[in-house]
Amino acid sequence: MIIRKKLLEVTNLSSSYDGCPVLTDINFTLGDGEILCLLGPSGSGKTTLLRLLAGLAEMENGEIIFNDKDIRQIPPHKRNFGMMFQEYALFPHKNVTENVAFGLEMKHLAAIDVETRVQSLLESVGLGGFGGRRIDELSGGEKQRVALARSLAPEPRLLLLDEPLGSLDKTLRDRLASEIRTILKSLGLTSIFVTHDQSEAFSVADKVAILHDNTMQQFDTPENIYRYPANESIARFLGFKNIIYGRVDENCIFHTEIGKIPLAQRHVITPVKDATLLIRPEGAVVKNKGAPLGKIQLSGTVTDRTFQGSTYKLTLNINGKQLIFDLPIDPTPAEPGDSIQIFLPASSLVLLS
């Protein structure tokens, strides 16, 4: 396990607009070289948090410590934080080299140093040989790479990216997300990346912070957030559909409308009267014989079957409750109207707060 030096520490940060809270009691730390993705629906405060860190918005309460220094009174232009936006914000009258060099020229560096830095950055973002091109000659993905190179040019201590891929189509967005992570990791640059797309966040980030209802509701690794959503709101935001309600008895049995479901001992210690259970859709299998050891068995009627390429999405009616599972393509699952039994690993069950 890599232990990273704590570079950024945010404590009890709060902000409001026209008397209405935008962010309340935000707390997190970020290690040197780590990438954090702020994930949440529109209006959850992601961009506001980015602006507060950059010094472009006023905070009401809290503390921001960067590299062991309180930066609240340091003006934005002296924080040496880079910013990258969805709209590119490139100069249309300047070519690629001139756009990337702009921030360096503002520092009055020697021309040879500017040229060397610009060429190195263009190579690192996959635009070697593009220096003389006009901005209007570039594709959306190429413009985004220019914007990234320009934000990296002044060697920022922290890079803030606000929905940088939001205007691109999904295929290009997926590819650039992976490339951006590779570039940032190669530079060892601590970064905070705003997005509303969970697949983008999971592919880019070392840590993910989910903002919802003006608060940071979960801060963890991408895998832990997917495996163990902190509450029902987060589970639904992540797209999970199989959420059921019931009670947990002293034997760790979940009593619900679809029957009794045994839970692993790690889920609960004492009985819970009003409990919420998430059943993740992956890992389900269909067997013709008895339940495999350690598997949870559910029986129902297929109401819908959709081919998704690598899996089938199967909707199952269990005592009037519609649950959705991703099943392997082999063997081909039952058709609508058929009764089947499916088996789930215990790890598919998550007891929500």
Side-chain angles (χ1 to χ4, degrees), residues 107-229:
K107 290 189 171 185
H108 306 292
L109 299 181
I112 186 62
D113 293 333
V114 171
E115 181 181 357
T116 300
R117 176 71 175 159
V118 169
Q119 294 308 312
S120 174
L121 284 168
L122 290 180
E123 290 289 343
S124 71
V125 300
L127 292 179
F130 278 64
R133 294 203 186 181
R134 292 161 49 93
I135 296 301
D136 59 11
E137 295 176 335
L138 304 179
S139 68
E142 290 165 348
K143 290 178 183 177
Q144 201 58 280
R145 286 187 175 92
V146 175
L148 176 60
R150 188 180 65 179
S151 65
L152 295 173
E155 299 183 292
R157 300 187 299 169
L158 176 69
L159 182 62
L160 307 173
L161 305 98
D162 190 5
E163 299 269 10
L165 308 178
S167 62
L168 305 176
D169 65 76
K170 180 169 175 52
T171 301
L172 181 57
R173 195 165 66 234
D174 290 345
R175 190 176 84 235
L176 279 180
S178 175
E179 291 178 1
I180 285 176
R181 175 176 171 82
T182 299
I183 292 167
L184 296 179
K185 282 298 180 182
S186 69
L187 297 172
L189 180 57
T190 310
S191 309
I192 301 179
F193 189 110
V194 165
T195 181
H196 62 273
D197 185 314
Q198 73 174 72
S199 62
E200 191 175 292
F202 289 173
S203 65
V204 171
D206 298 306
K207 299 286 178 62
V208 174
I210 296 188
L211 299 178
H212 188 67
D213 290 339
N214 312 118
T215 64
M216 184 175 288
Q217 300 206 359
Q218 191 167 0
F219 182 92
D220 211 329
T221 64
E223 182 176 350
N224 282 343
I225 282 181
Y226 182 85
R227 286 182 176 273
Y228 311 112

Side-chain angles (χ1 to χ4, degrees), residues 54-333:
L56 300 175
E58 187 175 344
M59 53 192 291
E60 290 186 345
N61 298 296
E63 189 175 61
I64 302 175
I65 303 296
F66 186 84
N67 201 23
D68 298 325
K69 295 181 180 179
D70 188 339
I71 63 171
R72 286 176 294 177
Q73 303 305 317
I74 298 177
H77 66 281
K78 291 188 177 181
R79 296 188 184 189
N80 193 22
F81 292 173
M83 293 285 291
M84 181 177 171
F85 304 96
Q86 177 179 334
E87 298 82 8
Y88 313 131
L90 300 174
F91 300 113
H93 61 286
K94 294 179 181 289
N95 64 23
V96 169
T97 291
E98 291 166 341
N99 267 276
V100 177
F102 179 76
L104 297 175
E105 291 170 346
M106 292 296 99
K107 290 189 171 185
H108 306 292
L109 299 181
I112 186 62
D113 293 333
V114 171
E115 181 181 357
T116 300
R117 176 71 175 159
V118 169
Q119 294 308 312
S120 174
L121 284 168
L122 290 180
E123 290 289 343
S124 71
V125 300
L127 292 179
F130 278 64
R133 294 203 186 181
R134 292 161 49 93
I135 296 301
D136 59 11
E137 295 176 335
L138 304 179
S139 68
E142 290 165 348
K143 290 178 183 177
Q144 201 58 280
R145 286 187 175 92
V146 175
L148 176 60
R150 188 180 65 179
S151 65
L152 295 173
E155 299 183 292
R157 300 187 299 169
L158 176 69
L159 182 62
L160 307 173
L161 305 98
D162 190 5
E163 299 269 10
L165 308 178
S167 62
L168 305 176
D169 65 76
K170 180 169 175 52
T171 301
L172 181 57
R173 195 165 66 234
D174 290 345
R175 190 176 84 235
L176 279 180
S178 175
E179 291 178 1
I180 285 176
R181 175 176 171 82
T182 299
I183 292 167
L184 296 179
K185 282 298 180 182
S186 69
L187 297 172
L189 180 57
T190 310
S191 309
I192 301 179
F193 189 110
V194 165
T195 181
H196 62 273
D197 185 314
Q198 73 174 72
S199 62
E200 191 175 292
F202 289 173
S203 65
V204 171
D206 298 306
K207 299 286 178 62
V208 174
I210 296 188
L211 299 178
H212 188 67
D213 290 339
N214 312 118
T215 64
M216 184 175 288
Q217 300 206 359
Q218 191 167 0
F219 182 92
D220 211 329
T221 64
E223 182 176 350
N224 282 343
I225 282 181
Y226 182 85
R227 286 182 176 273
Y228 311 112
N231 55 49
E232 182 178 344
S233 294
I234 293 176
R236 292 193 182 279
F237 173 72
L238 294 177
F240 292 119
K241 308 294 185 184
N242 301 337
I243 296 175
I244 56 179
Y245 307 98
R247 65 179 180 87
V248 182
D249 67 19
E250 63 277 3
N251 297 312
C252 288
I253 303 298
F254 191 89
H255 298 257
T256 178
E257 59 199 287
I258 66 171
K260 298 179 181 179
I261 301 176
L263 302 177
Q265 290 288 337
R266 65 178 173 81
H267 284 106
V268 287
I269 299 176
T270 58
V272 181
K273 181 179 179 181
D274 296 307
T276 303
L277 184 70
L278 163 65
I279 305 178
R280 294 205 313 273
E282 76 281 356
V285 294
V286 178
K287 296 288 185 182
N288 294 324
K289 297 183 179 180
L293 186 65
K295 299 285 186 177
I296 309 299
Q297 177 178 325
L298 296 175
S299 301
T301 303
V302 178
T303 59
D304 188 60
R305 185 184 73 183
T306 303
F307 181 65
Q308 301 182 121
S310 59
T311 61
Y312 277 98
K313 182 172 72 174
L314 209 70
T315 303
L316 202 61
N317 184 305
I318 305 176
N319 293 340
K321 179 73 173 178
Q322 303 286 326
L323 299 181
I324 299 172
F325 299 96
D326 294 327
L327 293 175
I329 60 175
D330 292 315
T332 303

